[in-house]
Amino acid sequence: MLREGGNAVDATIAALAMACVCEPVLASPGGGGFAMLRDGSSGDTTLLDFFPQTPLVRCGDSETGFRHIHADFGATTQRFHIGPATVATPGFFDGIDALSQQGASFSLADLFAPAIAAAADGVEISPYQYYLATVVEPILTATKASRNLFAPDGDLQSAGELFNNPGLSETFRDVAANGWTQTDIPDQILREQSLDGHLTKVDLESYHVEERQPVSLTLGGAKVFLNPLPAASGTLIRHALAHLQNCTPLSLATALNEADQARLSARGDLSVLLDRPIRQQGTTHISAIDADGNACAVTVSNGAGSGEMVGEHGFMLNNILGEEDVNPHGSCDWPLDTRLASMMCPTLIDTSDGGLIALGSGGSSRIRSAVFQTVVRLCLEGQGLAGAIDAPRLHVEDGHLDFEGHFSGDDTRQLTSAFPDHRLWPERNMFYGGVHAVFSDGTGNLAGKGDSRRDGSVAIAQ
């Protein structure tokens, strides 16, 4: 889209559609997310919240519509909840509409065209995407409709094979021509939800994208814009930065621990989270900057997917209501009509020398630590994108330290002494998120870095 003369918003919308085709485990029209936008002409920075909303009422049989599966990560397994009762009101297509209204120069037909073609012709499954599919295979094969798409011959398709999704191709074509509310997608969602789900017509019709003022702060001469409440990430990163003494690994870990303790106690600004449980699973990120200073950083999620397909439209609905953080006391413990909190954190940085960085990360609860460490290395240590993203990472949660085994011997000894409850990972791992970032120096020079931990990539249109 950039090569065709489009702007950063055009590029982001096209990339979001393509992500739904290429990595349906992480991105789907059945989910939602957040976008941090910079208007290059005015300099205004805005956060668009199109994250899923909890239903207005509880209805259906939450027990029969709420099933348990176990995802296999190899070294460990994780329990997930799927089924119709785990579906929250999706915001993806409303978010696309809001993004388009914020400055897209191309029509949705043009922006969706690459995804429409790719879904119809097929995309080659990468080793990383195949691995993700095997982890959540019980979700991708939970229903007859999902098996027909993801395992048409009985087994998941392997890396190197072509994945075809003609239903999603037609969905994007129809939405581009008519708008999603004028297609049969709402009716198909309600049909799927009619047995044991909670969503009603009123939920779909009353959903709206929230425009919010970002958390903004100054760090080492740079100005940083983070995702505001009710998303938890920006406020937690601000807490961590307030407790940062220096840039040593021990100081980074200590600062992250202080922020995590604030999360656990929901004190200060985070008290708003007392009635907004944090939803943390299944995320992907896209960053775009154009030559005119427009920027968009967007992070989206479908949870891990509910197993429930929307008619013949080629996409799965979210399982946002299925996480234990959202339902600490049972399958129907979520708050009514609430935009749930999230760790997703699309971020923009105005550098001290006039440059602009757009970044963000996937990685569930580790998003906040991945973005925090990257921002520190960019703004306080003066590292470039590659150095800041490739540097070894750590994460502190509930007093437990995880860290990659590439720190120096002295740093490792200090970390393990300060955090007796710890785990050392010998290699860089997708557990620590995937920070994908782009940079403009304001004079026409562009750069980018995709995090190898999550198979990231970068393209520069000259």
Side-chain angles (χ1 to χ4, degrees):
M1 290 302 139
L2 293 169
R3 290 190 182 101
E4 292 295 322
N7 59 36
V9 175
D10 294 313
T12 300
I13 293 173
L16 283 172
M18 188 65 83
C20 293
V21 177
C22 297
E23 48 181 33
V25 172
L26 300 176
S28 167
F34 302 88
M36 188 76 77
L37 290 161
R38 167 65 55 80
D39 184 313
S41 58
S42 68
D44 292 340
T45 302
T46 304
L47 187 283
L48 296 181
D49 177 348
F50 56 101
F51 198 58
Q53 182 95 354
T54 64
L56 291 161
V57 297
R58 295 183 178 90
C59 52
D61 187 335
S62 62
E63 294 305 319
T64 59
F66 198 92
R67 306 193 302 277
H68 309 289
I69 66 96
H70 285 84
D72 186 1
F73 289 87
T76 185
T77 62
Q78 182 176 350
R79 187 168 76 162
F80 287 87
H81 304 100
I82 64 173
T86 67
V87 178
T89 308
F92 183 91
F93 279 128
D94 291 284
I96 291 288
D97 287 342
L99 277 169
S100 182
Q101 293 165 18
Q102 289 279 340
S105 60
F106 290 166
S107 69
L108 286 184
D110 290 332
L111 298 177
F112 288 169
I116 289 169
D121 297 340
V123 293
E124 184 175 325
I125 299 171
S126 72
Y128 175 71
Q129 292 303 328
Y130 174 66
Y131 167 71
L132 289 179
T134 61
V135 169
V136 296
E137 181 175 3
I139 299 175
L140 299 183
T141 58
T143 63
K144 181 180 179 181
S146 64
R147 290 192 296 274
N148 287 341
L149 179 60
F150 296 107
D153 297 323
D155 296 317
L156 293 176
Q157 291 180 278
S158 299
E161 293 188 272
L162 283 183
F163 173 63
N164 296 87
N165 193 342
L168 187 58
S169 179
E170 287 304 310
T171 294
F172 280 126
R173 190 186 309 277
D174 197 5
V175 170
N178 302 300
W180 88 274
T181 59
Q182 300 305 309
T183 69
D184 72 335
I185 295 173
D187 288 340
Q188 292 294 337
I189 291 175
L190 296 177
R191 179 176 296 179
E192 179 278 330
Q193 284 283 286
S194 63
L195 293 176
D196 306 328
H198 299 286
L199 297 187
T200 66
K201 184 178 181 180
V202 178
D203 287 300
L204 300 182
E205 292 179 344
S206 63
Y207 183 90
H208 59 278
V209 176
E210 297 281 359
E211 188 171 322
R212 307 189 193 280
Q213 285 297 116
V215 171
S216 62
L217 53 92
T218 300
L219 186 67
K223 191 165 186 180
V224 183
F225 298 88
L226 302 165
N227 200 359
L229 292 167
S233 51
T235 301
L236 286 170
I237 291 170
R238 183 171 61 187
H239 273 260
L241 290 170
H243 290 88
L244 185 67
Q245 299 298 315
N246 51 56
C247 296
T248 64
L250 178 59
S251 182
L252 292 169
T254 301
L256 284 170
N257 187 49
E258 290 288 344
D260 193 55
Q261 294 306 307
R263 174 188 67 87
L264 292 172
S265 63
R267 66 176 184 260
D269 292 346
L270 292 165
S271 62
V272 72
L273 301 182
L274 289 171
D275 64 346
R276 293 176 187 261
I278 300 175
R279 200 232 53 89
Q280 309 196 93
Q281 300 293 341
T283 46
T284 194
H285 181 82
I286 295 161
S287 299
I289 287 179
D290 63 38
D292 295 324
N294 302 296
C296 186
V298 59
T299 314
V300 295
S301 173
N302 199 42
S306 65
E308 305 299 319
M309 305 297 293
V310 179
E312 300 297 322
H313 287 284
F315 69 88
M316 184 179 290
L317 289 168
N318 67 81
N319 69 332
I320 298 299
L321 303 182
E323 293 190 26
E324 292 182 355
D325 282 345
V326 177
N327 295 281
H329 305 297
S331 63
C332 222
D333 194 43
W334 38 267
L336 295 173
D337 192 24
T338 299
R339 196 65 58 93
L340 292 171
S342 171
M343 286 299 175
M344 293 191 282
C345 197
T347 299
L348 295 181
I349 302 173
D350 290 323
T351 66
S352 58
D353 56 359
L356 176 63
I357 298 172
L359 64 84
S361 179
S364 303
S365 63
R366 280 82 63 193
I367 291 174
R368 69 180 186 271
S369 55
V371 171
F372 165 73
Q373 289 165 86
T374 304
V375 167
V376 166
R377 289 174 175 132
L378 290 169
C379 298
L380 295 183
E381 293 191 307
Q383 294 192 29
L385 293 186
I389 291 172
D390 287 339
R393 272 191 213 134
L394 48 82
H395 176 72
V396 180
E397 189 167 345
D398 298 334
H400 170 80
L401 169 70
D402 284 284
F403 66 105
E404 294 177 329
H406 299 283
F407 292 103
S408 72
D410 286 344
D411 287 331
T412 297
R413 284 188 288 274
Q414 290 177 13
L415 287 168
T416 55
S417 175
F419 294 89
D421 181 10
H422 64 264
R423 175 170 48 186
L424 185 151
W425 298 61
E427 303 294 338
R428 291 180 177 86
N429 192 278
M430 66 174 288
F431 174 85
Y432 294 92
V435 178
H436 309 316
V438 288
F439 166 72
S440 169
D441 70 357
T443 66
N445 295 312
L446 304 168
K449 170 66 178 177
D451 197 331
S452 61
R453 295 174 180 87
R454 289 193 167 225
D455 207 23
S457 63
V458 61
I460 300 176
Q462 299 286 7

